[in-house]
């Protein structure tokens, strides 16, 4: 077994390097910026850049993107390989943000599918990036759709995740980021004792997309998860036009006149 002292010998730290890592770790700040390091060390930015480059070569740090770094913990082992903390990394890539869609479904245990993509929602645009073979996909929402997140403790740090109800609504709005309509149906079943369906409906109305309510009403009735009163409330707010139950699916299947959806998926797959 390789001890932590051996790791220090293999990747020795200078006094300033140790001071920086000690202070950041003491503040539980595993992800930090060049500006943070300059403030802590009270040194010129060019000198701090060189120090951070050394720490990256020694594998004490992982460069996430320009000016942002992750502290690699001791438990990463003697070769300093570390691929955890995807949610923590995601929380520092853009502001404002929340982590949502299929990533949130995974976090809440509403799907067994493991996605190599971490979905980060923001009102700002940002190009997807890949870190440690994990793709961070940024989904841009209008300000009026950017709500329904909560702070959640992950790896000792608070990160913003969409709450279960907003996760469902976001996935109904853009099922391609949630794994398709089948995964939404599964999430509704798995979370039936945890979610507030009334809140799900309220969130659906706030999104200004009646197709969400059409898909939601169909699924809740098919899965027998809602009473007639709630279904009637949803139906009073649906659109007049037909929409595909799964917008990423092909145009086929029967039309459901009550919810005005084209059922372009296998009903047996929704009930599995």
């Amino acid at each position: 077994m390789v001890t932590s002292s051996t790791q220090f010998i293999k990747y020795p730290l200078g006094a300033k390097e140790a001071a920086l890592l000690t202070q950041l770790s003491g503040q539980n700040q595993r992800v930090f910026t060049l500006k943070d390091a300059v403030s802590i060390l009270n040194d010129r930015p060019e000198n701090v850049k060189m120090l951070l480059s050394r720490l990256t070569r020694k594998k004490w740090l992982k460069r996430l993107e320009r000016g942002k770094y992750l502290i690699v913990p001791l438990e990463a082992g003697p070769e300093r390989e570390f691929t955890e903390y995807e949610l923590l990394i995601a929380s520092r890539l853009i502001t404002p943000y929340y982590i949502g869609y299929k990533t949130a479904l995974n976090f809440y245990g509403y799907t067994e599918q493991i996605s190599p993509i971490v979905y980060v929602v923001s009102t700002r645009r940002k190009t997807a990036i890949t870190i440690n073979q994990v793709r961070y996909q940024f989904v841009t929402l209008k300000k009026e759709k950017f709500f329904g997140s909560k702070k959640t403790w992950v790896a000792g740090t608070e990160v913003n995740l969409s709450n279960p109800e907003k996760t469902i609504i976001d996935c109904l709005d853009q099922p391609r980021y949630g794994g398709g309509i089948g995964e939404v149906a599964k999430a509704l079943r798995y979370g039936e004792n945890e979610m507030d369906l009334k809140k799900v409906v309220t969130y659906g109305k706030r999104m200004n997309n009646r197709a969400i309510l059409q898909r939601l009403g169909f699924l809740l009735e098919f899965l027998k998860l809602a009473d007639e009163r709630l279904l009637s409330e949803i139906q009073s707010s649906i659109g007049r036009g037909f929409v595909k139950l799964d917008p990423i699916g092909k145009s086929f299947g029967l039309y459901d006149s009550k919810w005005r959806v084209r059922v372009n998926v296998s009903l047996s797959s929704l009930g599995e």
Side-chain angles (χ1 to χ4, degrees), residues 108-158:
Y108 293 123
Y110 295 159
T111 177
E112 303 94 348
Q113 290 188 5
I114 303 300
S115 174
I117 301 174
V118 175
Y119 291 99
V120 187
V121 183
S122 181
T123 56
R124 297 169 54 205
R125 294 187 180 277
K126 186 178 177 69
T127 303
I129 61 175
T130 300
I131 301 169
N132 286 350
Q133 299 181 319
V134 176
R135 181 179 176 84
Y136 293 82
Q137 178 74 47
F138 301 93
V139 181
T140 307
L141 291 185
K142 295 179 180 179
K143 288 183 179 180
E144 57 266 28
K145 290 187 174 184
F146 190 79
F147 64 90
S149 67
K150 66 175 185 177
K151 292 189 179 297
T152 304
W153 285 97
V154 175
T157 301
E158 282 189 326

Side-chain angles (χ1 to χ4, degrees), residues 14 60 112 145 184 211 248 271:
W60 282 101
E112 303 94 348
K145 290 187 174 184
V184 182
I248 64 177

